Amino acid sequence: MSRTPREVFADHGARLGTGDLDHIAGNYTEDAVLITPDGEFRGHDGVRRVIGRLLADLPEAEWQLTPQFADGILFLRWTAATGTHRVADGTDTFVFRDGLISAQTVRYTLSNRTD
């Protein structure tokens, strides 16, 4: 059964909270492409690498997400903060196919908290 982008995104967020990279990768197509400032990553292994690094950079973060949906595409602005680090300029774009994420761009800059 095909899911809407909103349903996939809600499940994706819930799975990110668990840190279970296998379950997170299950929201992506087998040929998914993730484009990051560090390069292009493909498939479930690429998803695990990119998201695993993000979760490692921001353990137990407080996330603020602002999603905007339009015809199978999600544009997401986000911030995250831990006791020692902050992301103020996170932006992701997701493209959906057959109820899964088929492509995603990931951009964020991690900085030390000074407050």
Side-chain angles (χ1 to χ4, degrees):
M1 180 163 124
S2 186
R3 299 177 298 168
T4 68
R6 287 180 192 273
E7 290 169 329
V8 176
F9 177 65
D11 185 54
H12 184 64
R15 291 172 188 260
L16 280 175
T18 69
D20 186 330
L21 295 176
D22 288 332
H23 282 199
I24 292 166
N27 275 321
Y28 291 78
T29 62
E30 290 182 16
D31 61 346
V33 176
L34 273 76
I35 300 171
T36 76
D38 295 328
E40 188 174 291
F41 299 83
R42 295 188 170 270
H44 290 148
D45 288 337
V47 168
R48 286 184 193 95
R49 284 182 64 190
V50 172
I51 294 177
R53 183 172 16 190
L54 174 63
L55 294 176
D57 283 347
L58 295 164
E60 300 178 21
E62 295 179 22
W63 302 84
Q64 298 292 321
L65 308 175
T66 306
Q68 296 176 315
F69 294 91
D71 295 330
I73 297 175
L74 162 62
F75 180 72
L76 179 67
R77 290 187 185 276
W78 58 275
T79 62
T82 68
T84 58
H85 293 88
R86 167 188 322 265
V87 171
D89 59 350
T91 57
D92 290 15
T93 303
F94 298 81
V95 178
F96 297 85
R97 183 180 75 222
D98 300 328
L100 295 171
I101 301 164
S102 64
Q104 179 182 356
T105 61
V106 179
R107 292 187 161 265
Y108 69 97
T109 303
L110 185 66
S111 60
N112 292 327
R113 276 184 89 156
T114 58
D115 58 350

